[in-house]
Amino acid sequence: MDLDCLGSLILVKKLFPDHRLVRSRIIHPAARALYNLYGDYFDFLTPHDIGGEKIEHIIIVDTSSARRVREFLSCVSNSDPGITIYDHHPREDCDILGAVHAGKPWGANTTCMGKLAMDRGITLEAEEATIALTGIYADTGRLIYENVHREDLETAAWLLDMGASLRLVKSFLETIKEDDQILALNQLLLLCHTRVIQGHHILISYLEIEENIPGLAAVVEKIMEIENPDAYFAVFFIRKKGTILVIARSQKRRINLHELLTVYGGGGHQMAASLMLRNREGPRFWEEFLEYLERSLVPATRARDIMTKKVYTAREDSTILEASKYMEEINHTGLPVLNGEGRLSGFLSLRDIMKARRASLMHVPVRAFMTKNIISSGPETTMREVERLFYKHHIGHLPIVEDEKLAGIVTSWDFLEYKKQRKGLGTEDRVNGET
Ligand SMILES: [Mn+2]
């Protein structure tokens, strides 16, 4: 049971008062604080309690995997209960036979239950609204992950109306609370380092710990936030058990963690995955794993992949007036300038033209007003470097030069379009919802 599961359950209780909630033995570390404080609101039965009963109907939330609900289903003695599933994960993954699906692929499963409650005009107590809103915030990265649908926002708004406390929601979302986690966070911050692999900035760390630390994934995510790499592979060697644990997070679709870790028998989502290996030697695995990453990462996007190849240019010896008319015609705000040999020699922006206009010098050659100290770069420039150059030099055009010839130009528009392509991830690709 994670926060989205608890959020869903509190609403199931309101939606289906003739059903009883049954709790799992396994509670996600991030959900423990909320569960401890609000236990009474759920009024849970245990799987053991339902042992001898005849069950008429079962509602399952936030999963469609038989393995995950085995602890409950194995307690059901009659063979014919109806099953309805409310799950926001892809339906193809369902292996519970005969179940009716009523879920929606929204950012949080709680949203699905919340929409039903909203549409039925159900009112909530402030505590129930807080629990539900925590569920939505948890699974949608506080409503910023790409899995967010308008329904998540609508339901969140409704829960605020019902009296949800954002102050409490915020405190329940604080994922790093335990001393062990804080210690691990500090150790990892000192240990981790960036390696450029295939043009990606990959953060890596290797840490040996005595025992498993609950909530390590939250620690890894916190480091991701601080260091902002393209991907982070945190390798742990748990000495007591001789176990390897890899927790990985990615911010790039090109670095598909599920694919990468499946090779070792792990997996998860595209942007969040993990791996557990028994009976391994830590240092040897670490070495082998780094080699594996070097071999397996798909090369990063480079300037050449996103640049506009058909570049409009001005000539050094044309007049400012000609260049300005041309710019207007093609609706551009800046032009690379070429010299007699066709080499890049400057950049003419609207600002330069304004200067010439103010000085009434529209008939002088472009060369007189163009910016000569131009920032340009090569075709192999990474996206991170492009962004840095834009930011550092306050520019929105980056000419790309290859063999001393202008090969293309990367504009801020090209760059934003590239960034946007990371959009459109389904719920299966959630960045760090639940692994
Ligand atoms: Mn969920």
Side-chain angles (χ1 to χ4, degrees):
M1 299 194 298
D2 64 6
L3 289 167
D4 186 31
C5 172
L6 291 176
S8 301
L9 288 175
I10 203 71
L11 296 175
V12 163
K13 197 180 169 211
K14 303 294 280 193
L15 286 162
F16 306 98
D18 55 341
H19 287 58
R20 288 292 303 272
L21 301 183
V22 188
R23 75 173 156 82
S24 167
R25 273 189 298 269
I26 306 158
I27 300 181
H28 194 285
R32 261 182 221 138
L34 181 140
Y35 176 77
N36 287 338
L37 288 163
Y38 286 123
D40 293 348
Y41 285 88
F42 293 97
D43 191 18
F44 276 119
L45 297 174
T46 64
H48 179 79
D49 294 333
I50 59 170
E53 306 284 333
K54 181 181 174 341
I55 309 296
E56 286 170 28
H57 184 243
I58 299 171
I59 294 170
I60 298 171
V61 295
D62 205 23
T63 183
S64 341
S65 143
R67 184 178 55 81
R68 291 206 167 192
V69 292
R70 196 170 44 203
E71 59 175 322
F72 308 105
L73 294 187
S74 64
C75 290
V76 177
S77 43
N78 51 308
S79 61
D80 54 351
I83 299 180
T84 307
I85 297 179
Y86 292 93
D87 182 25
H88 64 141
H89 299 98
R91 222 166 256 195
E92 311 82 72
D93 298 350
C94 179
D95 58 356
I96 300 169
L97 296 176
V100 175
H101 287 271
K104 294 278 197 291
W106 296 330
N109 199 65
T110 306
T111 296
C112 180
M113 315 317 295
K115 268 293 265 180
L116 285 176
M118 197 184 343
D119 294 347
R120 286 190 203 168
I122 289 173
T123 54
L124 303 180
E125 289 179 44
E127 289 75 12
E128 293 163 336
T130 298
I131 295 166
L133 190 57
T134 306
I136 294 179
Y137 268 48
D139 259 33
T140 59
R142 308 185 183 199
L143 295 170
I144 198 75
Y145 289 166
E146 294 170 42
N147 63 10
V148 171
H149 288 63
R150 67 164 298 132
E151 287 80 1
D152 296 297
L153 296 157
E154 272 172 19
T155 308
W158 173 70
L159 291 169
L160 270 186
D161 291 344
M162 290 289 133
S165 156
L166 281 174
R167 196 175 278 253
L168 285 175
V169 170
K170 183 168 182 282
S171 83
F172 292 132
L173 291 173
E174 203 43 75
T175 47
I176 298 181
K177 288 194 173 114
E178 304 295 327
D179 291 347
D180 283 355
Q181 285 178 300
I182 293 167
L183 183 66
L185 178 70
N186 285 314
Q187 284 177 302
L188 289 175
L189 276 173
L190 287 174
L191 276 171
C192 69
H193 53 283
T194 304
R195 203 180 262 206
V196 178
I197 305 178
Q198 298 282 3
H200 304 290
H201 285 240
I202 305 294
L203 192 69
I204 47 175
S205 66
Y206 173 78
L207 179 64
E208 299 199 354
I209 48 182
E210 266 330 291
E211 292 180 81
N212 189 24
I213 299 169
L216 263 185
V219 174
V220 168
E221 278 156 20
K222 184 59 91 184
I223 290 175
M224 205 52 198
E225 231 178 274
I226 297 169
E227 299 281 332
N228 192 31
D230 295 330
Y232 179 21
F233 294 88
V235 176
F236 299 93
F237 179 60
I238 305 165
R239 284 203 206 98
K240 253 193 184 159
K241 293 183 183 161
T243 305
I244 295 283
L245 170 66
V246 181
I247 301 175
R249 294 292 182 268
S250 159
Q251 304 199 64
K252 274 186 172 176
R253 304 199 81 183
R254 285 213 172 194
I255 307 173
N256 185 334
L257 300 174
H258 178 71
E259 252 171 40
L260 281 164
L261 295 190
T262 305
V263 174
Y264 281 97
H269 306 287
Q270 184 165 14
M271 318 294 258
S274 60
L275 163 70
M276 185 83 110
L277 287 174
R278 292 181 208 292
N279 301 321
R280 288 289 186 118
E281 238 182 89
R284 186 177 300 171
F285 172 82
W286 171 235
E287 221 169 275
E288 176 199 317
F289 187 67
L290 288 181
E291 272 170 37
Y292 169 71
L293 288 182
E294 298 270 359
R295 278 199 316 273
S296 315
L297 289 187
V298 178
T301 303
R302 308 283 182 154
R304 79 157 78 250
D305 303 318
I306 69 158
M307 69 186 185
T308 303
K309 288 183 188 97
K310 186 173 185 301
V311 192
Y312 295 98
T313 54
R315 285 200 347 257
E316 247 184 35
D317 52 3
S318 337
T319 65
I320 297 272
L321 186 64
E322 283 167 341
S324 120
K325 279 185 180 159
Y326 182 51
M327 241 150 93
E328 209 168 296
E329 196 182 301
I330 58 172
N331 195 21
H332 274 40
T333 56
L335 289 177
V337 181
L338 304 182
N339 65 14
E341 284 108 60
R343 291 205 185 134
L344 183 66
S345 63
F347 197 89
L348 188 72
S349 68
L350 278 183
R351 218 179 313 149
D352 301 324
I353 293 175
M354 293 278 279
K355 267 188 236 159
R357 182 164 289 143
R358 254 182 263 126
S360 302
L361 291 170
M362 294 298 278
H363 287 88
V364 303
V366 162
R367 145 176 358 103
F369 277 91
M370 70 184 189
T371 307
K372 283 171 193 133
N373 274 332
I374 45 164
I375 308 300
S376 66
S377 200
E380 295 305 311
T381 311
T382 63
M383 292 302 101
R384 202 170 269 261
E385 181 65 4
V386 167
E387 187 169 23
R388 197 188 66 83
L389 290 171
F390 278 170
Y391 178 77
K392 190 175 165 207
H393 303 286
H394 309 287
I395 50 173
H397 303 80
L398 183 66
I400 303 299
V401 177
E402 188 171 26
D403 300 329
E404 296 184 48
K405 282 263 155 39
L406 184 66
I409 189 161
V410 175
T411 64
S412 42
W413 190 84
D414 294 321
F415 182 73
L416 289 170
E417 284 301 299
Y418 154 76
K419 287 278 244 197
K420 266 199 283 181
Q421 275 170 26
R422 294 182 187 173
K423 266 204 73 159
L425 306 182
T427 46
E428 74 279 19
D429 299 321
R430 122 172 11 108
V431 176
N432 38 19
E434 352 125 275
T435 46

